[in-house]
């Protein structure tokens, strides 16, 4: 994969995955902070840690990485249907 993105899966916390999802949705760090009711600096730190863990250099590369590894779903791309409890 281009852009120096990690070729191996990495361990991300639930909060980090939540932030990746919001980055993929196009939210700014300030918007993510408001949505999660945390400081922008905390979001900045999370994103910095995520970029390091994933070996990505920027938000676009991060979203590409997340799509590649199935960490996000965008417009029905990379989406796995969840089991319907009513169909059991």
């Amino acid at each position: 994969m281009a852009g120096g993105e990690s070729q191996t899966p990495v361990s991300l916390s639930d909060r980090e995955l939540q932030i990746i999802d919001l980055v993929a949705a196009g939210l700014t760090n300030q918007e993510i902070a408001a949505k999660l009711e945390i400081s922008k600096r905390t979001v900045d730190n999370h994103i910095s840690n995520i970029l390091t863990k994933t070996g990505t250099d920027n938000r676009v590369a991060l979203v590409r990485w997340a799509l590649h590894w199935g960490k996000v779903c965008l417009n029905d791309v990379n989406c796995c249907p969840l089991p319907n409890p009513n169909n059991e």
Side-chain angles (χ1 to χ4, degrees), residues 2 11-13 16-18 21 26 33-34 37 40-41 43 55-57 63-64 71 77-78 82 84 86-87:
S11 178
L12 298 168
S13 70
E16 289 170 332
L17 292 171
Q18 186 178 29
D21 192 49
E37 299 179 348
K40 180 186 172 293
R41 184 170 178 165
V43 174
T56 54
D57 297 327
V63 172
R64 288 176 46 93
K71 303 295 184 186
V77 173
N78 272 7
L82 297 175
N84 185 342
N86 296 329
N87 290 338

Side-chain angles (χ1 to χ4, degrees), residues 49-75:
N49 292 338
I50 293 165
L51 293 176
T52 299
K53 285 182 177 183
T54 59
T56 54
D57 297 327
N58 56 58
R59 295 165 80 91
V60 172
L62 174 60
V63 172
R64 288 176 46 93
W65 177 91
L67 284 167
H68 176 80
W69 290 103
K71 303 295 184 186
V72 295
C73 172
L74 293 175
N75 299 326

